[in-house]
Amino acid sequence: MDHAADAHRTDLMTITRHVLNEQSKYPESRGDFTILLSHIVLGCKFVCSAVSKAGLAKLIGLAGETNVQGEEQKKLDVLSNEVFVKALISSGRTCILVSEEDEEATFVEPSKRGRYIVVFDPLDGSSNIDCGVSIGTIFGIYLVKDKDNPTLDDVLQPGTNLLAAGYCMYGSSCTLVLSTGSGVNGFTLDPSLGEFILTHPHIKIPKKGKIYSVNEGNAKNWDEQTTKFVEKCKFPTDGSPPKSLRYVGSMVADVHRTLLYGGIFLYPADKKSPNGKLRVLYEVFPMSYLMEQAGGQAFTSKQRALDLVPKKIHERSPVFLGSYDDVEEIKALYAAAEENNA
Ligand code: AFP
């Protein structure tokens, strides 16, 4: 028996303890963020449990509704959205919520209002639900300017203003990855304890990776830069081995692998979708924030992704994110094209 390992395991760093530790660095803090986070964690635990029972409980199947992007909503999307919205409002710490599933932003009634804005995709990758492939929740947190007078402008902030961001992946284990602006930490749900335990402290993405992740089925509609980049991944000209391709089609799963193993995740613009597919507020921003906090980069084809200022809550943007050196390569291709056009 490995007593040393067991002794180590007796000092469990739960996500709440971790956030309380962080909070203690700010004497003026009133614990509001910790309370908010505990409600997000509750939502994640609920969704995790629902996802793992989905087949059994016959939760899978169309709910007969269509979401704002014109996609068919699965029952689990509807459930997850309801659970998160209710958990966030009942925290008493939120004032505006933006969910992928709701066309309009939700303004919390004054009696339940707090200082935080939460943007989230309660169940991303829903086309993977029926086959049991990893899916996830993505969230970002902002501060409102004036709690008594919240407006949509408070939501349309650049990603650089995020206070925190994270995702929870419902896969072979349930993993919550979080950054509150000082690095990235990963927590795994111990189902017997019902607690997220710190299992991946101080995640740093490798500076260069061996994997690229993209839906190559869209290749015929890509621009020249994306085409060149992917060609270089497959047929490198610098003597390095070709990169491997991995693509789940669930952003959380593809980004999680990229964060841990290194490489690049791309969802570029193409002729059919000139703004790409992924949503700025609750997909591109949180994942770009985590990548930067882990030492990587995120780029839109025109600028640093976090510098974008969205004009609409469901706006989309192309994104290239991952290992620093890999993103640097795609940036160089776009910079060269711009120079040639100048
Ligand atoms: P769904 O929620 O419709 O499955 O979309 C998932 C997603 O928004 C994101 O999680 C994936 O990275 C991306 O779309 C996959 O899109 P493609 O199916 O076009 O590759």
Side-chain angles (χ1 to χ4, degrees):
M1 195 171 175
D2 186 349
H3 292 290
D6 271 357
H8 184 68
R9 256 179 249 131
T10 56
D11 188 19
L12 302 174
M13 179 61 80
T14 64
I15 192 163
T16 311
R17 184 176 155 200
H18 174 84
V19 175
L20 281 170
N21 282 354
E22 293 272 299
Q23 183 193 305
S24 64
K25 293 178 198 154
Y26 306 94
E28 73 285 1
S29 163
R30 291 176 288 168
D32 285 345
F33 184 81
T34 310
I35 292 170
L36 172 65
L37 193 79
S38 71
H39 283 74
I40 293 177
V41 165
L42 176 66
C44 294
K45 284 182 194 167
F46 175 89
V47 178
C48 178
S49 156
V51 166
S52 65
K53 287 189 294 211
L56 283 174
K58 296 210 186 314
L59 285 167
I60 288 174
L62 301 179
E65 289 176 42
T66 302
N67 74 8
V68 269
Q69 272 82 29
E71 300 156 340
E72 286 168 325
Q73 274 189 359
K74 309 271 175 169
K75 227 176 189 167
L76 269 179
D77 304 41
V78 180
L79 249 181
S80 309
N81 192 40
E82 275 180 29
V83 166
F84 272 101
V85 168
K86 286 178 184 161
L88 290 168
I89 293 177
S90 68
S91 74
R93 302 300 184 278
T94 57
C95 57
I96 311 176
L97 308 178
V98 172
S99 164
E100 198 245 4
E101 299 293 338
D102 296 322
E103 192 160 356
E104 306 289 342
T106 302
F107 286 80
V108 178
E109 63 176 84
S111 65
K112 295 185 179 148
R113 219 175 256 169
R115 296 180 293 153
Y116 295 105
I117 296 164
V118 184
V119 291
F120 60 104
D121 187 344
L123 202 54
D124 190 59
S126 49
S127 58
N128 280 319
I129 296 174
D130 285 2
C131 57
V133 168
S134 298
I135 47 185
T137 298
I138 311 173
F139 60 90
I141 301 172
Y142 290 102
L143 257 188
V144 71
K145 284 187 201 99
D146 175 4
K147 168 171 157 307
D148 299 319
N149 189 23
T151 71
L152 214 51
D153 280 346
D154 287 305
V155 176
L156 303 175
Q157 302 191 43
T160 44
N161 288 358
L162 278 166
L163 277 190
Y167 60 79
C168 187
M169 186 177 69
Y170 313 110
S172 54
S173 58
C174 179
T175 307
L176 199 155
V177 173
L178 175 73
S179 175
T180 54
S182 48
V184 181
N185 291 286
F187 304 82
T188 304
L189 182 66
D190 181 332
S192 61
L193 297 174
E195 292 275 10
F196 280 98
I197 307 294
L198 181 63
T199 47
H200 297 72
H202 315 298
I203 297 173
K204 285 279 166 225
I205 183 167
K207 194 155 179 286
K208 192 171 174 59
K210 298 185 181 125
I211 300 173
Y212 72 106
S213 186
V214 66
N215 184 344
E216 279 211 68
N218 295 330
K220 89 174 166 79
N221 290 319
W222 287 344
D223 64 15
E224 211 183 302
Q225 295 83 339
T226 303
T227 307
K228 259 192 199 164
F229 178 80
V230 172
E231 196 65 7
K232 265 184 85 182
C233 290
K234 297 194 272 195
F235 303 99
T237 48
D238 60 358
S240 59
K243 289 193 195 305
S244 292
L245 167 65
R246 298 281 184 273
Y247 190 68
V248 177
S250 266
M251 191 186 195
V252 173
D254 284 316
V255 169
H256 188 63
R257 183 199 55 250
T258 306
L259 194 62
L260 296 188
Y261 295 172
I264 185 162
F265 169 84
L266 310 71
Y267 210 111
D270 62 45
K271 285 185 203 118
K272 273 169 73 188
S273 317
N275 296 319
K277 176 183 181 189
L278 302 178
R279 282 63 129 200
V280 172
L281 276 179
Y282 39 80
E283 291 183 309
V284 173
F285 275 174
M287 295 312 204
S288 300
Y289 183 84
L290 290 165
M291 278 298 162
E292 286 201 3
Q293 285 290 325
Q297 296 197 71
F299 176 63
T300 65
S301 76
K302 292 195 171 76
Q303 62 186 135
R304 176 185 175 203
L306 291 180
D307 281 339
L308 268 177
V309 184
K311 292 189 182 65
K312 292 185 298 187
I313 60 173
H314 295 296
E315 192 166 307
R316 299 169 194 261
S317 167
V319 72
F320 303 84
L321 52 80
S323 292
Y324 193 93
D325 287 355
D326 292 314
V327 178
E328 210 52 27
E329 273 187 37
I330 187 88
K331 279 167 78 176
L333 288 169
Y334 278 99
E338 209 169 286
E339 238 168 65
N340 286 345
N341 292 338

